[in-house]
Amino acid sequence: GNSVTQMEGPVTLSEEAFLTINCTYTATGYPSLFWYVQYPGEGLQLLLKATKADDKGSNKGFEATYRKETTSFHLEKGSVQVSDSAVYFCALTAGTYKYIFGTGTRLKVLA
Amino acid sequence: GAVVSQHPSRVICKSGTSVKIECRSLDFQATTMFWYRQFPKQSLMLMATSNEGSKATYEQGVEKDKFLINHASLTLSTLTVTSAHPEDSSFYICSATIDRTYEQYFGPGTRLTVT
């Protein structure tokens, strides 16, 4: 079946460090891929998405490229800020409205 | 655009009582709404999918008689936790989709505490 695997957290970085959060997936067909961010006590906000192979999603300095050959959608940011501290979820849909979520990766950025 | 609201944001109720949570799409018509449950430091667990005017589809292991879902209009879905118990305490999040897209728009969540 379809699944999403994220790197386990927590990830702790200093401000201005480079961020990578790994996400790989298993899916039949051609899934759409998403990164969502959840700040403490809040719901999920869409960070970026990609709907076909080689698409690059980007928003607020975050980027992720849909790599079909490696079935990956790694999240990157060149210089993190304290305000980026949150939980990040990778997700996919594959021909239906249902999302398959990864387990989430908690990011903590220290000043 | 595509804003989803939930009400209340926090609720505390006594064991044995029922509590209703509302999910509204504010600026679009949502053909499908979803209800999730999230335990502390865990991912979201899909509870049910609801389509306007029809019965909700529950995920395996979710008690339909305990978690009543009503999707009376294209902008409103409600989740009622009946005869709540402390183990029902959780963060409940709804989401909605716009027809012909697979992207979900999430509400801010409702923190339920059963004492």
Side-chain angles (χ1 to χ4, degrees):
Chain A
N2 299 333
S3 67
V4 173
T5 302
Q6 280 183 245
M7 62 186 289
E8 285 198 25
V11 174
T12 303
L13 297 173
S14 298
E15 206 165 26
E16 299 184 3
F18 185 86
L19 168 71
T20 299
I21 300 178
N22 289 339
C23 172
T24 57
Y25 67 89
T26 302
T28 53
Y30 302 94
S32 294
L33 302 172
F34 305 84
W35 276 102
Y36 281 86
V37 59
Q38 184 179 32
Y39 297 101
E42 298 184 12
L44 273 65
Q45 299 175 28
L46 178 65
L47 185 58
L48 53 85
K49 66 180 180 182
T51 57
K52 61 182 188 296
D54 299 324
D55 268 2
K56 176 186 281 189
S58 61
N59 185 25
K60 300 180 182 179
F62 291 90
E63 292 183 341
T65 301
Y66 187 145
R67 302 279 189 206
K68 192 166 177 62
E69 63 276 14
T70 54
T71 62
S72 65
F73 193 54
H74 304 322
L75 182 67
E76 297 182 335
K77 186 175 185 183
S79 176
V80 292
Q81 305 300 312
V82 172
S83 57
D84 295 325
S85 298
V87 180
Y88 293 82
F89 290 95
C90 185
L92 70 81
T93 62
T96 75
Y97 290 110
K98 284 190 179 181
Y99 273 22
I100 306 295
F101 281 98
T103 53
T105 302
R106 185 174 301 275
L107 170 65
K108 186 173 182 179
V109 181
L110 304 176
Chain B
V3 178
V4 175
S5 71
Q6 280 184 242
H7 178 79
S9 57
R10 292 177 177 271
V11 58
I12 301 173
C13 70
K14 292 187 176 181
S15 188
T17 62
S18 296
V19 61
K20 181 185 287 188
I21 302 170
E22 292 186 347
C23 176
R24 292 181 185 274
S25 57
L26 297 186
D27 51 1
F28 66 99
Q29 292 187 328
T31 51
T32 305
M33 287 184 166
F34 302 84
W35 286 97
Y36 294 86
R37 184 173 179 176
Q38 186 180 31
F39 292 102
K41 298 185 178 181
Q42 293 189 25
S43 188
L44 280 71
M45 181 191 80
L46 179 65
M47 299 174 67
T49 303
S50 81
N51 293 289
E52 184 263 340
S54 62
K55 289 184 178 180
T57 302
Y58 290 81
E59 296 298 300
Q60 194 170 11
V62 177
E63 298 175 61
K64 61 181 67 176
D65 294 331
K66 181 166 187 61
F67 298 100
L68 300 178
I69 291 172
N70 183 280
H71 194 157
S73 75
L74 284 171
T75 59
L76 173 64
S77 176
T78 59
L79 168 68
T80 301
V81 183
T82 63
S83 186
H85 291 283
E87 56 266 29
D88 299 324
S89 299
S90 192
F91 195 53
Y92 292 88
I93 302 175
C94 73
S95 70
T97 61
I98 299 173
D99 198 18
R100 292 188 295 278
T101 75
Y102 291 141
E103 184 173 335
Q104 293 185 24
Y105 301 92
F106 287 82
T110 297
R111 172 79 56 198
L112 170 63
T113 303
V114 184
T115 60

